[in-house]
């Protein structure tokens, strides 16, 4: 079992789920800083419960997260010990432009990421940077309505130009928007959208999507102008949708579900709105407002690679009885697939789905792929001797790495694999600390207790071996079923 020699093994994190220090270093409030843990979280993420400042009776996990802001050296040293070739992380927009519409950036914020990138490079770890991972400066939401407003394109261009100019010597791999399709599923989390009673949500979402797509193409253009060597990708919450049966209605439904997500990266990778989207928009009576030059920009500045997250496959049916048997799956509810198991959070576990999804994406775009998120969120138990035996996580990852190798054998061009939450962090969907993904345990809990101490899990040494052997050790190890 051989992976390409320069394969980028590593892990992935995001600013809002790790850094904490939410108003330190001149940082402004970001959308995620107002997403509480607890029962109102979902309504806020959906854009149905506006709030523009933290409330006293709420807990906001992003405020402390895992304190990466102060502990990044220690954490990066642990990543280096595992032999990481790459770390995917995001820049917090509100650290660079605290309000979002300033003309000058916040030097302290810029310096922080300089320090982080230098630390990574010192250890031979390549930074892979997402420009926007679920965060928008709150001022842009409050004063402009966030991505529903065309002005966001200008603000984002300024932000992108600032960071691309500053870091292009240190960062080669970039992504514009994390899981850009999340805009349709969690509009506040994905795009800072808040809705008023009676508004046409679908229209606002499409208009906001157009603005993000234009901003993404503009960032690609700026990046390539600054440094033609930069690799700038898109990022999709991916997963193939299976029809529950071979009934053509189910198959059609599965195709439609997939296209709902492909819509975004079809534009980013192929440079134009796809025919099926034009038809849907027309039938829904939605007319996206475009400016002169938008179509050319989208056409001429497509992405260099497709970044994607994969956790589970999806399944859909047109039969109302089957639709009663749903399960979770990131934020994509899906019909329970009778052939597959689910995680403790109800997410379907389907390693083969990763191979299928990678093939589906490669067949469609013929662009290099980068798996920038994959992993198992699980409860971990610290034994009395301090050890953490996360063999279930090793099993999940091993099975996915094998299928990833199969995809490479199929001819899929794969740049790398950065598993999600390589160090425990705050869950995006639930806001919990208890949902852990890491090779490194962080002693912090949902009730606010804990020391933030870092501790290696069993998977730490296992992943170290995976990287050291360039994936070869996975071939000989049995799966835990
Ligand atoms: C992706 C996001 O949706 O899935 C991450 O890009 C997120 O930010 C990850 O953390 C896992 O989801 P969750 O809800 O388990 O944290």
């Amino acid at each position: 079992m051989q992976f390409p020699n320069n394969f980028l093994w590593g892990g992935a994190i995001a600013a809002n789920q790790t850094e904490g220090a939410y108003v330190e270093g001149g940082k402004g409030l970001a959308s995620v800083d107002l997403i509480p843990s607890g029962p109102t979280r979902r309504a806020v993420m959906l854009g149905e419960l506006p709030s523009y400042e933290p409330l006293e009776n709420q807990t906001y996990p992003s405020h402390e997260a895992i304190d990466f802001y102060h502990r990044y050296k220690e954490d990066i040293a642990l990543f280096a010990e595992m032999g990481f070739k790459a770390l995917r992380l995001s820049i917090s927009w509100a650290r660079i432009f605290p309000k979002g519409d300033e003309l000058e950036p916040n030097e302290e914020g810029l310096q922080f990421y300089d320090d982080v990138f230098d630390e990574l490079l010192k250890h031979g770890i390549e930074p892979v940077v997402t420009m926007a991972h679920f965060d928008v400066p709150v001022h842009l939401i409050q004063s402009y309505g966030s991505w529903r407003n065309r002005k966001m394109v200008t603000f984002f261009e300024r932000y992108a130009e600032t960071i691309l100019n500053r870091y292009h010597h240190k960062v080669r791999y970039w992504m514009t928007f994390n899981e850009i399709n999340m805009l349709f599923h969690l509009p506040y989390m994905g795009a800072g959208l808040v809705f008023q009673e009676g508004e046409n949500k679908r229209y606002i979402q499409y208009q906001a999507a157009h603005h993000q797509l234009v901003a993404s193409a503009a960032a690609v253009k700026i990046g390539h102008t600054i440094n033609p060597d930069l690799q700038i990708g898109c990022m999709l919450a991916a997963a193939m949708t299976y029809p529950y049966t071979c009934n053509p209605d189910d198959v059609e439904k599965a195709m439609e579900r997939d296209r709902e997500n492909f819509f975004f990266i079809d534009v980013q990778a192929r440079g134009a709105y796809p025919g099926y989207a034009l038809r849907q928009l027309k039938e829904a009576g939605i007319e996206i407002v475009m400016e002169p030059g938008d179509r050319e920009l989208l056409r001429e500045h497509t992405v260099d690679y497709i970044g994607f997250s994969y956790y589970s496959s999806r399944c859909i049916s047109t039969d109302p009885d089957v639709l009663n048997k749903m399960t979770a799956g990131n934020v994509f509810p899906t019909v329970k697939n009778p052939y597959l198991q689910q995680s403790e959070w109800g997410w379907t576990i389907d390693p083969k789905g990763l191979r299928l999804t990678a093939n589906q994406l490669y067949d469609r775009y013929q662009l290099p792929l980068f798996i920038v998120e994959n992993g198992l969120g699980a409860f971990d138990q610290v034994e009395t001797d301090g050890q953490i035996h996360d063999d279930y996580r090793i099993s999940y990852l091993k099975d996915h790495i094998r299928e990833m190798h199969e995809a490479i054998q199929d001819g899929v061009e794969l740049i790398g694999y950065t598993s999600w939450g390589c160090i425990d962090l705050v869950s995006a969907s639930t806001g919990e600390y208890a949902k852990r993904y890491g090779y490194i345990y962080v002693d912090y809990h949902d009730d606010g207790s804990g020391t933030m101490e870092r501790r290696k899990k069993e998977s730490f040494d296992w992943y170290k071996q995976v990287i050291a052997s360039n994936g070869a050790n996975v071939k000989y190890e049995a799966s835990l079923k």
Side-chain angles (χ1 to χ4, degrees):
M1 189 152 145
Q2 267 299 309
F3 283 83
N5 280 338
N6 51 358
F7 193 72
L8 292 174
W9 293 103
I13 58 176
N16 76 82
Q17 290 165 267
T18 53
E19 285 177 10
Y22 81 113
V23 283
E24 261 180 72
K27 178 179 169 294
L29 264 188
S31 46
V32 272
D33 298 327
L34 298 175
I35 304 183
S37 53
T40 55
R41 184 175 180 84
R42 197 166 167 79
V44 175
M45 293 196 293
L46 286 167
E48 290 168 357
L49 193 64
S51 94
Y52 299 107
E53 55 188 42
L55 304 173
E56 271 183 16
N57 57 350
Q58 298 278 17
T59 311
Y60 298 92
S62 74
H63 293 193
E64 271 190 286
I66 58 156
D67 197 29
F68 181 76
Y69 187 78
H70 298 110
R71 295 168 195 253
Y72 69 88
K73 287 192 181 164
E74 180 193 346
D75 295 342
I76 290 172
L78 287 165
F79 300 150
E81 196 181 326
M82 275 188 278
F84 276 24
K85 311 276 184 226
L87 179 74
R88 173 180 176 233
L89 71 173
S90 69
I91 293 180
S92 157
W93 186 350
R95 265 196 207 291
I96 309 302
F97 287 97
K99 291 171 77 180
D101 59 357
E102 302 92 332
L103 296 178
E104 295 303 322
N106 168 33
E107 177 55 34
E108 215 178 329
L110 286 169
Q111 188 57 50
F112 170 67
Y113 292 106
D114 259 321
D115 296 345
V116 171
F117 298 149
D118 288 345
E119 194 66 20
L120 288 168
L121 295 171
K122 186 176 102 188
H123 288 286
I125 302 176
E126 174 126 31
V128 175
V129 173
T130 317
M131 297 180 185
H133 190 126
F134 299 156
D135 56 7
V136 177
V138 168
H139 172 72
L140 297 183
I141 301 175
Q142 204 168 4
S143 304
Y144 300 93
S146 192
W147 283 101
R148 64 168 73 204
N149 189 325
R150 175 79 196 197
K151 288 195 176 120
M152 289 294 280
V153 176
T154 310
F155 302 141
F156 189 81
E157 278 177 328
R158 194 175 301 143
Y159 164 59
E161 188 168 3
T162 304
I163 55 176
L164 286 160
N165 254 324
R166 177 92 170 205
Y167 306 124
H168 72 96
H169 297 299
K170 299 178 183 179
V171 180
R172 182 160 179 252
Y173 287 98
W174 295 84
M175 271 165 281
T176 52
F177 293 94
N178 179 62
E179 296 189 334
I180 188 162
N181 49 326
M182 206 52 94
L183 191 156
F184 282 167
H185 304 277
L186 294 175
Y188 179 80
M189 191 156 97
L193 297 176
V194 179
F195 302 103
Q196 307 300 320
E197 193 79 22
E199 278 192 322
N200 181 341
K201 285 190 190 171
R202 209 58 183 159
Y203 165 68
I204 292 165
Q205 283 172 309
Y206 269 110
Q207 189 62 54
H210 180 69
H211 294 151
Q212 285 200 341
L213 292 168
V214 169
S216 175
V220 172
K221 180 180 178 187
I222 294 166
H224 286 158
T225 309
I226 292 173
N227 183 345
D229 287 342
L230 298 186
Q231 295 293 300
I232 310 175
C234 55
M235 190 329 196
L236 178 79
M240 196 169 186
T241 309
Y242 304 152
Y244 190 74
T245 71
C246 53
N247 177 341
D249 289 342
D250 284 1
V251 179
E252 182 191 24
K253 193 88 195 152
M255 180 181 78
E256 281 171 5
R257 274 292 162 91
D258 276 346
R259 283 178 164 180
E260 217 175 84
N261 299 307
F262 288 146
F263 159 68
F264 293 87
I265 62 167
D266 275 356
V267 179
Q268 289 174 298
R270 295 164 155 176
Y273 277 63
Y276 63 84
L278 296 176
R279 177 182 178 176
Q280 272 169 12
L281 288 167
K282 196 170 165 203
E283 288 177 1
I286 294 175
E287 216 169 304
I288 295 178
V289 180
M290 298 197 191
E291 286 198 355
D294 281 2
R295 286 193 178 82
E296 291 71 20
L297 188 79
L298 294 174
R299 192 175 59 236
E300 286 162 22
H301 301 285
T302 51
V303 290
D304 298 312
Y305 68 94
I306 311 282
F308 69 100
S309 60
Y310 174 85
Y311 293 92
S312 315
S313 55
R314 300 165 193 154
C315 184
I316 191 72
S317 167
T318 45
D319 178 342
D321 288 340
V322 176
L323 287 172
N324 281 333
K325 299 174 212 136
M326 302 295 277
T327 185
N330 209 336
V331 291
F332 306 87
T334 167
V335 168
K336 209 169 195 165
N337 186 325
Y339 300 97
L340 299 169
Q341 306 279 312
Q342 283 83 37
S343 77
E344 288 162 307
W345 272 265
W347 293 25
T348 305
I349 299 177
D350 181 13
K352 188 161 282 189
L354 175 57
R355 175 182 175 189
L356 300 174
T357 301
N359 273 281
Q360 187 191 35
L361 290 169
Y362 193 68
D363 286 351
R364 195 174 179 97
Y365 302 108
Q366 297 284 295
L367 282 173
L369 305 183
F370 198 157
I371 301 171
V372 294
E373 286 187 34
N374 170 241
L376 178 72
F379 291 108
D380 288 332
Q381 176 70 40
V382 185
E383 304 296 337
T384 42
D385 61 0
Q387 297 200 38
I388 300 142
H389 299 295
D390 57 341
D391 49 355
Y392 37 88
R393 180 168 296 109
I394 294 174
S395 173
Y396 175 101
L397 294 167
K398 193 186 299 176
D399 291 345
H400 284 76
I401 289 172
R402 283 185 181 140
E403 294 297 337
M404 181 166 87
H405 184 253
E406 289 297 322
I408 293 174
Q409 300 291 99
D410 293 335
V412 170
E413 218 181 320
L414 205 55
I415 304 173
Y417 176 79
T418 53
S419 62
W420 177 248
C422 44
I423 181 167
D424 289 349
L425 39 66
V426 174
S427 157
S429 58
T430 67
E432 291 167 292
Y433 284 90
K435 191 180 188 189
R436 296 172 182 274
Y437 285 87
Y439 307 109
I440 301 163
Y441 183 87
V442 176
D443 177 35
Y444 206 72
H445 308 279
D446 291 316
D447 61 3
S449 65
T451 60
M452 290 276 181
E453 185 204 11
R454 277 53 172 161
R455 191 182 282 267
K456 296 174 195 170
K457 303 182 194 174
E458 193 176 317
S459 55
F460 184 99
D461 283 328
W462 171 80
Y463 196 49
K464 187 175 172 179
Q465 284 309 312
V466 172
I467 300 177
S469 66
N470 198 16
N473 71 324
V474 164
K475 183 175 177 182
Y476 302 106
E477 293 172 7
S479 289
L480 188 92
K481 288 280 181 215

